[in-house]
Amino acid sequence: MTRDALLKKLQSQISEREREQLGAGELLVGAFNRSVLLEMLAMQSAPEGNASDSDVQGLIDALDAFLAREMATQPEGWKWIRLSCLYLSFVARKPLHPPQLLGIRQRVGQDGETIWLCPQRSDAPDATCRYCVCTNERFNMER
């Protein structure tokens, strides 16, 4: 599916009332995910390109397994994490976590494209990292 079609699909999963609650900070959503969701809702159209249906489903499956394990008693927060991660990975093409939290750095590639480098990235088969834009390239943490 196109990145724009995915954006519209993700946006449609948030009701008008939920949009108001997000804007007012009334929902149990972490600050990072709230900012991501507000960015997503404000976006009129996504950049050109496609999101692989199998990758989208793969991230959903990996997130569901993670959330069932790590947030079993907080299912009310799952929707917001799913939507944020899908948006970040496939529409915005940004890291799944706040860069400052994990020491994620960005570089500009030879073609001018942003390259995200994360020292915490895991290539484990069940890791959500597999769907993140960050590479697992190790880099010097000093400036």
Side-chain angles (χ1 to χ4, degrees):
M1 99 177 53
T2 67
R3 289 168 70 188
D4 195 58
L6 179 58
L7 171 65
K8 302 299 188 247
K9 182 177 180 177
L10 297 173
Q11 289 171 330
S12 75
Q13 293 180 37
I14 301 176
S15 71
E16 244 350 277
R17 177 71 182 128
E18 289 170 327
R19 289 169 191 246
E20 292 169 8
Q21 291 174 310
L22 272 171
E26 297 173 354
L27 293 175
L28 185 60
V29 179
F32 176 71
N33 285 330
R34 180 175 177 268
S35 69
V36 168
L37 293 166
L38 292 172
E39 174 186 311
M40 179 188 80
L41 289 170
M43 186 176 266
Q44 297 297 311
S45 63
E48 288 186 26
N50 294 308
S52 159
D53 291 342
S54 63
D55 283 348
V56 169
Q57 189 59 53
L59 178 55
I60 291 168
D61 293 345
L63 285 168
D64 286 350
F66 171 81
L67 294 167
R69 185 175 62 249
E70 301 296 327
M71 292 182 61
T73 61
Q74 299 168 304
E76 67 278 2
W78 295 14
K79 173 181 181 174
W80 310 116
I81 293 169
R82 281 189 200 114
L83 291 174
S84 288
C85 289
L86 290 166
Y87 168 75
L88 287 169
S89 284
F90 303 115
V91 177
R93 297 202 174 143
K94 294 180 181 177
L96 291 175
H97 292 94
Q100 64 279 13
L101 180 68
L102 299 181
I104 297 170
R105 304 283 180 119
Q106 68 181 40
R107 302 281 187 260
V108 177
Q110 290 180 343
D111 60 359
E113 185 175 336
T114 299
I115 299 170
W116 296 95
L117 307 167
C118 179
Q120 304 292 321
R121 183 181 167 95
S122 169
D123 289 325
D126 62 342
T128 56
C129 293
R130 292 181 35 217
Y131 303 96
C132 184
V133 298
C134 294
T135 69
N136 62 357
E137 176 182 338
R138 301 296 178 218
F139 60 95
N140 185 345
M141 295 300 290
E142 298 174 6
R143 287 184 183 248

